[in-house]
Amino acid sequence: LFFSPDGRKVAIKWHWYGHIYIWDVIKKEMIRLIKCPFEIRSFCFSSDGSTLIIAGTENNTYGRIQLIDVNNGKEIRKMSIYPLLRTNREGGSDYGYSDVINANDKWLFALSRRDSIFCQWDMSTGDTLKRIKVNSWGYDKLFHINNTDLIVVKKEFGDSIFIFDFNKGDCINTLSGNAVKIQSVSVSKDGKLLMAAFDNGKIKIWKIWELI
C-alpha cells in the first residue's frame, strides 16, 4: 500500500495483477478502482497526490510505466521500457521493477532490479532522459534525494545501502549493516535524513550531507 503525500488517500494493490484500490482515509470509503492491463510490480503517488504512477510487466514481454489521474481514473500516459528485458531461468522475462518515484513533479525514476539499470523520464512528456547501468543487481528500494543527482538504493535481502551519483552512474558511498539484514529504508521528505530498519529491531538515522 502507499499513502498520498497529504495522508488523505491510500492506494492498495490486490495481488500482482490488475487492480489498485484508492481509499479516502478520512471517510473510510473506496473512491477509485484502477484496472491495469499488466502485472503490477510497484506504484506510488506523485508529490502533489494528483497522479498515481504504476510500474509493471505486460504479457511477459514489455516493461510498462503508466500514469493515472487520481481524480478521474483515466490514463495520462503510458511508457514502454522494453529495452530493459532480461530472461530469467524459466525462460520468461523478468523486469522486477522495485520502486518508482516522483521528484518535484518533473521526473520519474525507475530501477530494473535484475538488470541494474536506472532510468529517468520527463513527467510532462514521457521522454527518456537518462539510462545508466550500474554494477551488481538485486536492488529493491529506490529513493531520489530532492534537488540533487543522488539516488539511494538498497539490495534485496542485503545488509548494505548504496548512494549513487545518477549523473555519473558511480557509487559514492556504501553503508554497511555489519552482516545484519536491512528490512526497510526511507529518505525524509526534505532529503536531509536517511533511515534504515534492521533485522535485529534497531533503527539507524544518518544525516545525508555527512555521507556525500
Side-chain angles (χ1 to χ4, degrees):
L1 58 81
F2 206 100
F3 280 92
S4 62
D6 62 6
R8 297 182 62 89
K9 299 183 185 71
V10 61
I12 304 171
K13 178 179 70 172
W14 177 250
H15 204 254
W16 286 110
Y17 289 94
H19 294 174
I20 293 179
Y21 301 88
I22 301 178
W23 283 73
D24 187 306
V25 176
I26 306 301
K27 296 181 180 179
K28 299 181 181 179
E29 61 184 25
M30 190 182 76
I31 57 176
R32 190 77 57 206
L33 169 60
I34 308 296
K35 295 182 178 181
C36 296
F38 52 79
E39 181 180 353
I40 300 169
R41 292 288 187 174
S42 61
F43 59 97
C44 70
F45 285 97
S46 60
S47 60
D48 64 0
S50 66
T51 304
L52 187 67
I53 305 160
I54 308 169
T57 306
E58 187 172 359
N59 298 325
N60 286 326
T61 305
Y62 296 98
R64 296 293 189 196
I65 289 183
Q66 189 176 33
L67 276 61
I68 300 292
D69 187 313
V70 173
N71 293 320
N72 58 30
K74 293 183 179 180
E75 179 181 291
I76 300 171
R77 185 172 291 106
K78 182 187 286 186
M79 294 171 285
S80 176
I81 43 180
Y82 63 88
L84 305 184
L85 176 65
R86 180 185 176 94
T87 301
N88 62 25
R89 293 177 182 177
E90 287 72 36
S93 59
D94 188 353
Y95 291 84
Y97 268 83
S98 63
D99 221 341
V100 183
I101 62 171
N102 171 262
N104 302 320
D105 288 321
K106 293 181 180 180
W107 304 306
L108 280 175
F109 290 91
L111 168 62
S112 169
R113 103 183 168 190
R114 290 291 183 185
D115 291 325
S116 300
I117 296 175
F118 292 132
C119 283
Q120 180 188 24
W121 289 269
D122 186 300
M123 272 281 286
S124 61
T125 65
D127 294 337
T128 301
L129 301 178
K130 198 173 297 183
R131 285 190 184 132
I132 294 177
K133 174 78 174 179
V134 297
N135 294 328
S136 191
W137 62 279
Y139 303 112
D140 73 337
K141 285 294 178 185
L142 166 66
F143 297 93
H144 173 253
I145 300 175
N146 288 339
N147 303 314
T148 74
D149 293 321
L150 302 181
I151 297 288
V152 175
V153 295
K154 177 186 82 71
K155 272 203 169 186
E156 187 177 22
F157 310 120
D159 66 344
S160 297
I161 300 169
F162 305 88
I163 301 177
F164 283 90
D165 184 317
F166 190 84
N167 239 355
K168 301 176 181 177
D170 297 334
C171 180
I172 62 173
N173 204 343
T174 300
L175 308 174
S176 175
N178 297 319
V180 179
K181 179 183 173 183
I182 299 172
Q183 288 285 356
S184 184
V185 174
S186 187
V187 173
S188 62
K189 190 173 182 179
D190 60 9
K192 294 181 179 181
L193 299 176
L194 171 62
M195 293 148 279
F198 294 85
D199 230 7
N200 58 7
K202 293 183 178 180
I203 294 176
K204 191 169 183 178
I205 301 175
W206 294 269
K207 295 177 181 178
I208 289 177
W209 65 85
E210 295 180 353
L211 304 175
I212 59 179

